[in-house]
Amino acid sequence: MTDADPVRLYRTVRLIRRFEERAIELVRSGHIVGGIHPYLGQEGIAAGVCAALRAADVIAGTHRGHGHVLAKGADPARMLAELCGRVTGLNAGRGGSMHAADFGVGVLGANAIVGASGAIVTGAVWARRRRGEDTVGVSFFGDGAVNEGMLLEAFNLAALWRVPVLFVCENNGYATTMPVAGAVAGSIPGRAAAFGIPAAVLDGQDPEAVRDATVAAVDRMRAGGGPELIEARTYRFDAHHTFEHAVRLDYRPPDEVARGRSRDPVDIQGGRLSAAVRTEVDAEVESTLAAAVEFALAGAEPDPADALAHLYASGLTARTGGG
């Protein structure tokens, strides 16, 4: 039911890494407008968590959400087209980097609202459970979300109704430029404990450690154990947002960045494979992403005349403003 294959886990980590690097190239070339929030350095969390899920399970992510979407099984070509704002994207170019979704593989969406994934996943899983479905959900969020009332309300309802949601805090040490020590009183697991939610702290740089902890948590939740929380400690290798490449914000000491980069999830998981297998996987990923870039750039841009489409579930077309 879950993926324990170290080769497949490495492929996912490597795919996310190279996808993000190719996306940064497209930001610089102007094909991705507005920039992205790179997931570089945090790939082991998305890969490890999603390797423990079933196809019917659901997730919701963050503004730094490309890795979550890819790890759950979305097509990299359509995801890259979405970032480029093309009609061939996952959401016809309307979601972009921060709102990409693929309901077909259980991705309820990345989300630019800090902490929103908790409420979305709790509600979605509760509804599915009411229909008798054996669904588990995962809410990804960063350390900057743990003071948001919306997330704490989701903790409360998930605990009260025993909704099987795994709350995954990707603690990369910074909420944009604010160090977590300057923003979070108490502890992240302590917030879960206040609602009676079991919590664990683990090494987010080790994909297999993340996968194994998630497998155990998901098994308990499927058996009726209610929600759980994982604080995955990680490090963001690149900028909070690609705008930093131009403005060069100075808020992380160089020695800290070097220490953070010394534990690379790609190398940690890749070190568990033979050199020959790793080379083969790397070549496969490069081929996949070369085709993804070609697909993305070949897609048409949306027609401005359709800008008001899809506002209503009924299909009603909105009336344009009149003079």
Side-chain angles (χ1 to χ4, degrees), residues 5-18:
D5 183 349
V7 178
R8 288 176 62 88
L9 191 55
Y10 173 71
R11 184 188 184 280
T12 302
V13 173
R14 179 69 178 181
L15 174 67
I16 298 170
R17 170 66 55 85
R18 291 295 295 134

Side-chain angles (χ1 to χ4, degrees), residues 128-297:
R128 285 163 170 76
R129 286 279 170 159
R130 294 274 291 180
R131 295 198 299 260
E133 300 174 20
D134 187 24
T135 304
V136 164
V138 175
S139 161
F140 292 98
F141 56 93
D143 50 273
V146 300
N147 296 323
E148 294 290 336
M150 178 164 43
L151 181 65
L152 299 178
E153 289 171 10
F155 285 1
N156 182 63
L157 289 178
L160 189 65
W161 297 338
R162 302 194 66 75
V163 184
V165 173
L166 180 62
F167 295 97
V168 178
C169 178
E170 299 181 292
N171 183 359
N172 63 24
Y174 288 86
T176 309
T177 60
M178 172 67 77
V180 65
V184 178
S187 71
I188 293 170
R191 282 160 169 70
F195 297 94
I197 298 175
V201 179
L202 54 86
D203 178 8
Q205 301 306 92
D206 185 339
E208 292 194 359
V210 175
R211 181 202 60 206
D212 293 347
T214 305
V215 167
V218 166
D219 284 348
R220 290 189 293 268
M221 291 192 298
R222 287 201 203 280
E228 298 198 18
L229 179 141
I230 286 175
E231 179 190 349
R233 294 185 176 172
T234 184
Y235 197 78
R236 168 169 53 80
F237 286 6
D238 203 272
H240 166 72
H241 186 275
T242 48
F243 85 92
E244 287 185 35
H245 296 166
V247 299
R248 303 292 181 185
L249 297 180
D250 182 17
Y251 59 94
R252 299 194 298 179
D255 58 334
E256 177 193 295
V257 176
R259 286 195 305 273
R261 284 179 168 272
S262 69
R263 300 198 67 251
D264 189 327
V266 174
D267 291 337
I268 290 172
Q269 189 60 27
R272 295 173 172 133
L273 312 181
S274 69
V277 169
R278 186 170 178 177
T279 298
E280 180 181 352
V281 173
D282 289 353
E284 178 194 348
V285 167
E286 291 305 308
S287 177
T288 296
L289 291 177
V293 171
E294 183 177 358
F295 175 85
L297 298 185

Side-chain angles (χ1 to χ4, degrees), residues 34-59:
I36 63 171
H37 298 81
Y39 196 62
L40 301 173
Q42 301 181 206
E43 301 92 343
I45 302 173
V49 168
C50 291
L53 301 178
R54 298 175 182 173
D57 293 333
V58 296
I59 69 169

Side-chain angles (χ1 to χ4, degrees), residues 40-108:
L40 301 173
Q42 301 181 206
E43 301 92 343
I45 302 173
V49 168
C50 291
L53 301 178
R54 298 175 182 173
D57 293 333
V58 296
I59 69 169
T62 69
H63 54 278
R64 199 179 313 283
H66 308 162
H68 311 138
V69 177
L70 293 171
K72 193 59 169 68
D75 179 0
R78 294 190 63 211
M79 178 64 177
L80 199 57
E82 186 62 31
L83 269 58
C84 291
R86 307 304 173 99
V87 297
T88 49
L90 288 174
N91 311 114
R94 294 171 180 270
S97 173
M98 293 193 287
H99 299 94
D102 187 349
F103 284 21
V105 295
V107 178
L108 303 183

